[in-house]
Every structure is written in C-alpha cells, then in structure tokens.
Amino acid sequence: MTPEERVLSTLQRVRDERIIMILRSETADDAERAVEAAIAGGITLIEITYSVPGAAELIARLSRRHGDAVCIGAGTVLDAAQVDEAADAGARFAVSPATVDEVVAASLRRGLLPLPGVMTPSEALRAVRAGAPAVKLFPARSFGPAFVRDLLAPLPDLVIVPSGGVDVQQVGEWLGAGAAAVGLGGRLSPSRVAPGEERGITERAAAALAAVNDHPRHV
C-alpha cells in the first residue's frame, strides 16, 4: 500500500467509525488501561497524545498487540521528528492543535493521516492547501455544532473532526451539523484511572459508540 493509499484508508476508517478516543493520561499505565477499557466498549480509533509519558512506546505496544483491529494515532504532534517517531511506532494518523506545515507534509510522506487543528475558515483553507484531507476543529467547546454547519456552507468538501470539549450528549448534534467524526476525551479517558474504573470507561465508550451509531451517516 502506498503512503497515499494508507492516508485515504485511514480517512475512510475515521469517516466510518466517527469517534476517536483521546488519551491525555498522567502515566502510560493509566493510558493503557483506559485504552483497553475503551476497546472493550467497541471504540477502535485511539489517539495517544504526546503529553502521555512514553507515548511512542505505548503506541508501539498497542499496535503490536491489536494490529489492524485498532487504529492508533499520535496526538499533540508538533514537528516532523514526532511524525517519524509515531510512524515507526505504528501510528496511522497524526493530530495537531494547530496547522503545522511540516507535520502535514511529514505525515503524508509517511502515510499517516494528518489532522491539523483549525479555528477559522482561513486556517481550514490553509490546512487543506497544505495537503490535509481533514481538519480538527479545536477547541470545539469554544464554538458549537452550528459553527460546523456554517463552515461547511462555503467549504462543503471540508472534512471536519471537532475535538476539545465535545460531550457524549452532543455527539448527535455535531454529526447532524456535518462533522465527519468527533474526538472524545474528558470522562471517557480520565487523566488517572483508579482501580476498578475500567468498567466505567467501557460503559461510557459503549454509550458514546451507541450515540454515534444512532445517527445516520452523511453520504
């Protein structure tokens, strides 16, 4: 599979599954327990942010364990070196809080789907012109689902993934407004995972997935 084909394959998976779990745990062990609990609840798109200690090693470990059954990405990616490290570890996508041209270029070169962060139409257009097939609306809590609809009016081909403050109860609203997928962190993936809390994560993951699946896909 060529790098371009890998990027398009991952993009299709994001559009099909429509929910990305975002990990910002304080330790790699907490992150790993949260990931396994979310996978048990049916979520298979996982973003491991570089704020997690040992993020690359965790990506590699999860990628080896689950193979293609789980699609692991790197988050808070700020430079090309992190893209290469994540790609070597088995990541399939690279998420940034802003549009960093070298991250987009390196991701495309390595076959990772870039998801650069944007806040305005100008930033979204810049990201697309840099080669990004999709963008991350961040922080989504500063806007609302109506913003996605307004952004798609002049840019109907834009693939938008809201992230940062998206609540499970709002998933249907974001998708209804035209979002291709949503990124969920917060209570779905707490920074610390207390003993026995895995079951709660699994239940919340299943509820989030049900909310997504209850909403019709955009054609």
Side-chain angles (χ1 to χ4, degrees):
M1 189 179 291
T2 67
E4 182 179 6
E5 289 171 338
R6 283 176 59 83
V7 169
L8 293 177
S9 174
T10 302
L11 176 61
Q12 188 59 53
R13 185 160 182 171
V14 169
R15 302 189 75 152
D16 286 344
E17 300 190 22
R18 300 186 293 170
I19 183 169
I20 301 172
M21 178 190 187
I22 304 167
L23 270 296
R24 293 191 182 279
S25 302
E26 294 181 11
T27 70
D29 287 343
D30 284 331
E32 189 163 0
R33 289 199 300 273
V35 167
E36 294 297 345
I39 291 172
I43 293 179
T44 62
L45 284 170
I46 309 291
E47 175 189 335
I48 307 292
T49 66
Y50 261 93
S51 59
V52 176
E57 291 80 4
L58 179 56
I59 290 171
R61 190 157 60 249
L62 291 169
S63 296
R64 287 193 300 268
R65 182 182 305 155
H66 295 285
D68 291 337
V70 176
C71 185
I72 307 291
T76 321
V77 180
L78 302 178
D79 56 45
Q82 287 181 325
V83 173
D84 286 331
E85 181 180 55
D88 290 341
R92 294 292 303 273
F93 57 95
V95 186
S96 302
T99 298
V100 184
D101 289 351
E102 70 173 278
V103 169
V104 174
S107 297
L108 296 174
R109 173 174 53 81
R110 292 300 304 269
L112 275 63
L113 170 68
L115 285 171
V118 304
M119 286 185 70
T120 68
S122 295
E123 291 178 358
L125 188 57
R126 179 186 164 218
V128 170
R129 287 180 172 172
V135 298
K136 163 186 166 179
L137 177 63
F138 178 80
R141 66 165 55 90
S142 299
F143 302 94
F147 185 77
V148 171
R149 186 177 293 108
D150 292 341
L151 193 56
L152 288 172
L155 300 170
D157 295 328
L158 194 62
V159 180
I160 304 173
V161 181
S163 180
V166 175
D167 192 85
V168 173
Q169 286 73 28
Q170 285 185 303
V171 165
E173 295 179 54
W174 286 105
L175 295 176
V182 295
L184 294 178
R187 290 183 65 244
L188 180 59
S189 56
S191 59
R192 296 299 303 269
V193 181
E197 193 172 356
E198 292 91 344
R199 181 175 179 179
I201 294 172
T202 297
E203 291 172 350
R204 291 193 292 273
L209 192 61
V212 168
N213 290 335
D214 282 344
H215 199 279
R217 286 177 171 78
H218 292 284
V219 177

